mmCIF file of all heavy atoms in Angstrom:
data_model
loop_
_atom_site.group_PDB
_atom_site.id
_atom_site.type_symbol
_atom_site.label_atom_id
_atom_site.label_comp_id
_atom_site.label_asym_id
_atom_site.label_seq_id
_atom_site.Cartn_x
_atom_site.Cartn_y
_atom_site.Cartn_z
ATOM 1 N N ASP A 1 5.294 2.252 11.272
ATOM 2 C CA ASP A 1 5.111 3.657 11.520
ATOM 3 C C ASP A 1 5.617 4.539 10.399
ATOM 4 O O ASP A 1 5.158 5.626 10.144
ATOM 5 C CB ASP A 1 5.960 3.976 12.778
ATOM 6 C CG ASP A 1 5.288 3.469 14.052
ATOM 7 O OD1 ASP A 1 4.075 3.132 13.978
ATOM 8 O OD2 ASP A 1 6.033 3.388 15.087
ATOM 9 N N SER A 2 6.598 4.086 9.566
ATOM 10 C CA SER A 2 7.193 4.893 8.578
ATOM 11 C C SER A 2 6.271 5.094 7.371
ATOM 12 O O SER A 2 6.527 6.023 6.611
ATOM 13 C CB SER A 2 8.579 4.247 8.061
ATOM 14 O OG SER A 2 8.292 2.874 7.628
ATOM 15 N N VAL A 3 5.261 4.238 7.260
ATOM 16 C CA VAL A 3 4.315 4.399 6.134
ATOM 17 C C VAL A 3 2.885 4.701 6.452
ATOM 18 O O VAL A 3 2.088 4.912 5.539
ATOM 19 C CB VAL A 3 4.378 3.110 5.194
ATOM 20 C CG1 VAL A 3 5.765 2.727 4.922
ATOM 21 C CG2 VAL A 3 3.697 1.987 5.937
ATOM 22 N N LYS A 4 2.566 4.803 7.794
ATOM 23 C CA LYS A 4 1.303 5.052 8.224
ATOM 24 C C LYS A 4 0.764 6.445 7.638
ATOM 25 O O LYS A 4 1.604 7.512 7.710
ATOM 26 C CB LYS A 4 1.215 5.209 9.719
ATOM 27 C CG LYS A 4 1.060 3.782 10.403
ATOM 28 C CD LYS A 4 0.899 3.913 11.860
ATOM 29 C CE LYS A 4 0.867 2.503 12.492
ATOM 30 N NZ LYS A 4 0.886 2.594 14.108
ATOM 31 N N GLY A 5 -0.400 6.446 7.171
ATOM 32 C CA GLY A 5 -0.959 7.666 6.676
ATOM 33 C C GLY A 5 -0.599 7.939 5.144
ATOM 34 O O GLY A 5 -1.133 8.823 4.447
ATOM 35 N N ARG A 6 0.296 7.147 4.634
ATOM 36 C CA ARG A 6 0.717 7.315 3.251
ATOM 37 C C ARG A 6 0.439 6.006 2.379
ATOM 38 O O ARG A 6 0.167 6.204 1.217
ATOM 39 C CB ARG A 6 2.263 7.555 3.153
ATOM 40 C CG ARG A 6 2.705 8.797 3.840
ATOM 41 C CD ARG A 6 4.145 9.116 3.690
ATOM 42 N NE ARG A 6 5.114 8.184 4.099
ATOM 43 C CZ ARG A 6 5.884 7.448 3.247
ATOM 44 N NH1 ARG A 6 5.965 7.695 1.996
ATOM 45 N NH2 ARG A 6 6.748 6.469 3.784
ATOM 46 N N PHE A 7 0.538 4.909 3.036
ATOM 47 C CA PHE A 7 0.298 3.668 2.305
ATOM 48 C C PHE A 7 -0.991 2.981 2.722
ATOM 49 O O PHE A 7 -1.434 3.119 3.956
ATOM 50 C CB PHE A 7 1.417 2.637 2.572
ATOM 51 C CG PHE A 7 2.775 2.935 1.966
ATOM 52 C CD1 PHE A 7 3.016 4.284 1.376
ATOM 53 C CD2 PHE A 7 3.757 2.013 1.967
ATOM 54 C CE1 PHE A 7 4.276 4.545 0.784
ATOM 55 C CE2 PHE A 7 5.025 2.336 1.462
ATOM 56 C CZ PHE A 7 5.299 3.544 0.956
ATOM 57 N N THR A 8 -1.670 2.288 1.815
ATOM 58 C CA THR A 8 -2.868 1.603 2.153
ATOM 59 C C THR A 8 -2.757 0.163 1.599
ATOM 60 O O THR A 8 -2.624 0.053 0.420
ATOM 61 C CB THR A 8 -4.123 2.271 1.588
ATOM 62 O OG1 THR A 8 -4.161 3.567 2.112
ATOM 63 C CG2 THR A 8 -5.413 1.533 1.963
ATOM 64 N N ILE A 9 -2.938 -0.830 2.417
ATOM 65 C CA ILE A 9 -2.975 -2.147 1.955
ATOM 66 C C ILE A 9 -4.486 -2.676 1.812
ATOM 67 O O ILE A 9 -5.262 -2.283 2.605
ATOM 68 C CB ILE A 9 -2.155 -3.062 2.956
ATOM 69 C CG1 ILE A 9 -2.102 -4.533 2.361
ATOM 70 C CG2 ILE A 9 -2.892 -3.153 4.305
ATOM 71 C CD1 ILE A 9 -1.216 -5.401 3.080
ATOM 72 N N SER A 10 -4.726 -3.466 0.829
ATOM 73 C CA SER A 10 -6.065 -3.944 0.611
ATOM 74 C C SER A 10 -5.929 -5.224 -0.207
ATOM 75 O O SER A 10 -4.929 -5.589 -0.708
ATOM 76 C CB SER A 10 -6.916 -2.903 -0.186
ATOM 77 O OG SER A 10 -6.454 -2.656 -1.420
ATOM 78 N N ARG A 11 -7.043 -5.986 -0.154
ATOM 79 C CA ARG A 11 -7.167 -7.270 -0.886
ATOM 80 C C ARG A 11 -8.419 -7.461 -1.545
ATOM 81 O O ARG A 11 -9.506 -6.863 -0.958
ATOM 82 C CB ARG A 11 -6.721 -8.448 -0.010
ATOM 83 C CG ARG A 11 -7.676 -8.591 1.197
ATOM 84 C CD ARG A 11 -7.051 -9.604 2.110
ATOM 85 N NE ARG A 11 -7.084 -11.055 1.583
ATOM 86 C CZ ARG A 11 -6.457 -12.034 2.085
ATOM 87 N NH1 ARG A 11 -5.774 -11.844 3.173
ATOM 88 N NH2 ARG A 11 -6.457 -13.319 1.521
ATOM 89 N N ASP A 12 -8.450 -8.082 -2.651
ATOM 90 C CA ASP A 12 -9.795 -8.399 -3.348
ATOM 91 C C ASP A 12 -9.812 -9.853 -3.430
ATOM 92 O O ASP A 12 -9.197 -10.446 -4.386
ATOM 93 C CB ASP A 12 -9.872 -7.742 -4.687
ATOM 94 C CG ASP A 12 -11.323 -7.795 -5.338
ATOM 95 O OD1 ASP A 12 -11.866 -8.769 -4.939
ATOM 96 O OD2 ASP A 12 -11.563 -6.947 -6.153
ATOM 97 N N ASN A 13 -10.551 -10.525 -2.523
ATOM 98 C CA ASN A 13 -10.581 -12.037 -2.606
ATOM 99 C C ASN A 13 -11.305 -12.540 -3.750
ATOM 100 O O ASN A 13 -11.157 -13.684 -4.111
ATOM 101 C CB ASN A 13 -11.204 -12.520 -1.276
ATOM 102 C CG ASN A 13 -10.254 -12.251 -0.062
ATOM 103 O OD1 ASN A 13 -9.123 -11.934 -0.201
ATOM 104 N ND2 ASN A 13 -10.804 -12.406 1.077
ATOM 105 N N ALA A 14 -12.102 -11.716 -4.457
ATOM 106 C CA ALA A 14 -12.882 -12.173 -5.544
ATOM 107 C C ALA A 14 -11.967 -12.383 -6.777
ATOM 108 O O ALA A 14 -12.310 -13.099 -7.748
ATOM 109 C CB ALA A 14 -14.017 -11.208 -5.831
ATOM 110 N N VAL A 15 -10.846 -11.629 -6.831
ATOM 111 C CA VAL A 15 -9.939 -11.613 -8.031
ATOM 112 C C VAL A 15 -8.667 -12.115 -7.607
ATOM 113 O O VAL A 15 -7.694 -12.058 -8.382
ATOM 114 C CB VAL A 15 -9.985 -10.303 -8.761
ATOM 115 C CG1 VAL A 15 -11.314 -9.959 -9.309
ATOM 116 C CG2 VAL A 15 -9.335 -9.164 -7.874
ATOM 117 N N ASN A 16 -8.452 -12.585 -6.297
ATOM 118 C CA ASN A 16 -7.171 -13.161 -5.920
ATOM 119 C C ASN A 16 -5.919 -12.177 -6.009
ATOM 120 O O ASN A 16 -4.923 -12.642 -6.478
ATOM 121 C CB ASN A 16 -6.870 -14.431 -6.683
ATOM 122 C CG ASN A 16 -7.995 -15.552 -6.598
ATOM 123 O OD1 ASN A 16 -8.673 -15.478 -5.688
ATOM 124 N ND2 ASN A 16 -8.003 -16.332 -7.605
ATOM 125 N N LYS A 17 -6.175 -10.968 -5.523
ATOM 126 C CA LYS A 17 -5.129 -9.953 -5.534
ATOM 127 C C LYS A 17 -5.027 -9.213 -4.283
ATOM 128 O O LYS A 17 -5.971 -8.889 -3.541
ATOM 129 C CB LYS A 17 -5.404 -8.989 -6.700
ATOM 130 C CG LYS A 17 -5.079 -9.581 -8.052
ATOM 131 C CD LYS A 17 -4.944 -8.405 -9.105
ATOM 132 C CE LYS A 17 -4.559 -9.124 -10.437
ATOM 133 N NZ LYS A 17 -4.438 -8.068 -11.524
ATOM 134 N N LEU A 18 -3.755 -8.824 -3.969
ATOM 135 C CA LEU A 18 -3.396 -7.960 -2.887
ATOM 136 C C LEU A 18 -2.814 -6.732 -3.428
ATOM 137 O O LEU A 18 -2.141 -6.748 -4.580
ATOM 138 C CB LEU A 18 -2.392 -8.615 -2.019
ATOM 139 C CG LEU A 18 -1.671 -7.828 -0.791
ATOM 140 C CD1 LEU A 18 -2.667 -7.645 0.284
ATOM 141 C CD2 LEU A 18 -0.453 -8.534 -0.385
ATOM 142 N N TYR A 19 -3.102 -5.559 -2.856
ATOM 143 C CA TYR A 19 -2.619 -4.301 -3.329
ATOM 144 C C TYR A 19 -1.901 -3.511 -2.206
ATOM 145 O O TYR A 19 -2.120 -3.700 -1.048
ATOM 146 C CB TYR A 19 -3.813 -3.502 -3.783
ATOM 147 C CG TYR A 19 -4.679 -4.084 -4.914
ATOM 148 C CD1 TYR A 19 -5.859 -4.722 -4.531
ATOM 149 C CD2 TYR A 19 -4.360 -4.183 -6.166
ATOM 150 C CE1 TYR A 19 -6.584 -5.290 -5.504
ATOM 151 C CE2 TYR A 19 -5.053 -4.749 -7.194
ATOM 152 C CZ TYR A 19 -6.215 -5.373 -6.845
ATOM 153 O OH TYR A 19 -6.995 -6.011 -7.774
ATOM 154 N N LEU A 20 -1.078 -2.575 -2.747
ATOM 155 C CA LEU A 20 -0.408 -1.596 -1.813
ATOM 156 C C LEU A 20 -0.472 -0.252 -2.586
ATOM 157 O O LEU A 20 0.300 -0.061 -3.506
ATOM 158 C CB LEU A 20 1.023 -1.997 -1.429
ATOM 159 C CG LEU A 20 1.672 -1.053 -0.385
ATOM 160 C CD1 LEU A 20 0.954 -1.205 0.939
ATOM 161 C CD2 LEU A 20 3.190 -1.369 -0.274
ATOM 162 N N GLN A 21 -1.262 0.598 -2.085
ATOM 163 C CA GLN A 21 -1.371 1.971 -2.714
ATOM 164 C C GLN A 21 -0.362 2.862 -1.871
ATOM 165 O O GLN A 21 -0.434 2.949 -0.574
ATOM 166 C CB GLN A 21 -2.728 2.589 -2.547
ATOM 167 C CG GLN A 21 -2.921 3.952 -3.061
ATOM 168 C CD GLN A 21 -2.733 4.131 -4.481
ATOM 169 O OE1 GLN A 21 -3.226 3.317 -5.312
ATOM 170 N NE2 GLN A 21 -1.898 5.163 -4.951
ATOM 171 N N MET A 22 0.551 3.391 -2.582
ATOM 172 C CA MET A 22 1.627 4.154 -1.965
ATOM 173 C C MET A 22 1.664 5.693 -2.436
ATOM 174 O O MET A 22 1.704 5.910 -3.635
ATOM 175 C CB MET A 22 2.999 3.580 -2.283
ATOM 176 C CG MET A 22 3.136 2.136 -1.961
ATOM 177 S SD MET A 22 4.864 1.439 -2.276
ATOM 178 C CE MET A 22 4.952 1.599 -3.951
ATOM 179 N N ASN A 23 1.227 6.513 -1.531
ATOM 180 C CA ASN A 23 1.180 7.948 -1.863
ATOM 181 C C ASN A 23 2.263 8.672 -1.107
ATOM 182 O O ASN A 23 2.822 8.223 -0.199
ATOM 183 C CB ASN A 23 -0.159 8.499 -1.391
ATOM 184 C CG ASN A 23 -1.268 7.824 -2.198
ATOM 185 O OD1 ASN A 23 -1.232 7.381 -3.341
ATOM 186 N ND2 ASN A 23 -2.447 7.633 -1.491
ATOM 187 N N SER A 24 2.449 9.936 -1.534
ATOM 188 C CA SER A 24 3.531 10.826 -0.997
ATOM 189 C C SER A 24 4.909 10.048 -0.766
ATOM 190 O O SER A 24 5.467 10.074 0.411
ATOM 191 C CB SER A 24 3.041 11.274 0.442
ATOM 192 O OG SER A 24 1.752 12.028 0.274
ATOM 193 N N LEU A 25 5.248 9.387 -1.854
ATOM 194 C CA LEU A 25 6.548 8.603 -1.718
ATOM 195 C C LEU A 25 7.794 9.430 -1.435
ATOM 196 O O LEU A 25 7.904 10.501 -1.925
ATOM 197 C CB LEU A 25 6.638 7.899 -3.039
ATOM 198 C CG LEU A 25 5.769 6.622 -3.107
ATOM 199 C CD1 LEU A 25 5.655 6.088 -4.556
ATOM 200 C CD2 LEU A 25 6.286 5.459 -2.277
ATOM 201 N N LYS A 26 8.665 8.790 -0.604
ATOM 202 C CA LYS A 26 9.855 9.456 -0.229
ATOM 203 C C LYS A 26 11.002 8.661 -0.764
ATOM 204 O O LYS A 26 10.967 7.564 -1.145
ATOM 205 C CB LYS A 26 9.930 9.511 1.285
ATOM 206 C CG LYS A 26 8.762 10.294 2.051
ATOM 207 C CD LYS A 26 8.989 10.136 3.473
ATOM 208 C CE LYS A 26 7.774 10.876 4.175
ATOM 209 N NZ LYS A 26 7.785 10.728 5.683
ATOM 210 N N PHE A 27 12.142 9.365 -0.868
ATOM 211 C CA PHE A 27 13.336 8.690 -1.357
ATOM 212 C C PHE A 27 13.673 7.410 -0.542
ATOM 213 O O PHE A 27 14.070 6.389 -1.015
ATOM 214 C CB PHE A 27 14.516 9.705 -1.213
ATOM 215 C CG PHE A 27 15.910 8.995 -1.569
ATOM 216 C CD1 PHE A 27 16.082 8.797 -2.913
ATOM 217 C CD2 PHE A 27 16.746 8.732 -0.571
ATOM 218 C CE1 PHE A 27 17.410 8.129 -3.227
ATOM 219 C CE2 PHE A 27 17.991 8.051 -0.874
ATOM 220 C CZ PHE A 27 18.262 7.803 -2.333
ATOM 221 N N GLU A 28 13.288 7.470 0.738
ATOM 222 C CA GLU A 28 13.688 6.350 1.603
ATOM 223 C C GLU A 28 12.710 5.164 1.449
ATOM 224 O O GLU A 28 12.813 4.106 2.089
ATOM 225 C CB GLU A 28 13.694 6.789 3.156
ATOM 226 C CG GLU A 28 12.512 7.556 3.565
ATOM 227 C CD GLU A 28 12.803 9.055 3.486
ATOM 228 O OE1 GLU A 28 13.395 9.577 2.562
ATOM 229 O OE2 GLU A 28 12.331 9.766 4.394
#
C-alpha cells in the first residue's frame, strides 16, 4: 500500500531483467 501509485514493477523475459520504477520518492 505504501508504494501503490508511485512504483511500477516490470520484467523483460527476453533480456532476463526485472525492474522497479520508483517515482515521487519519499524520505521513508
Side-chain angles (χ1 to χ4, degrees):
D1 288 343
S2 59
V3 307
K4 277 181 183 176
R6 299 188 298 121
F7 290 10
T8 302
I9 188 171
S10 62
R11 61 191 292 168
D12 187 337
N13 291 348
V15 297
N16 303 333
K17 284 194 173 181
L18 174 73
Y19 303 102
L20 185 68
Q21 178 66 44
M22 305 186 296
N23 298 329
S24 302
L25 282 161
K26 303 176 181 180
F27 175 75
E28 50 265 41

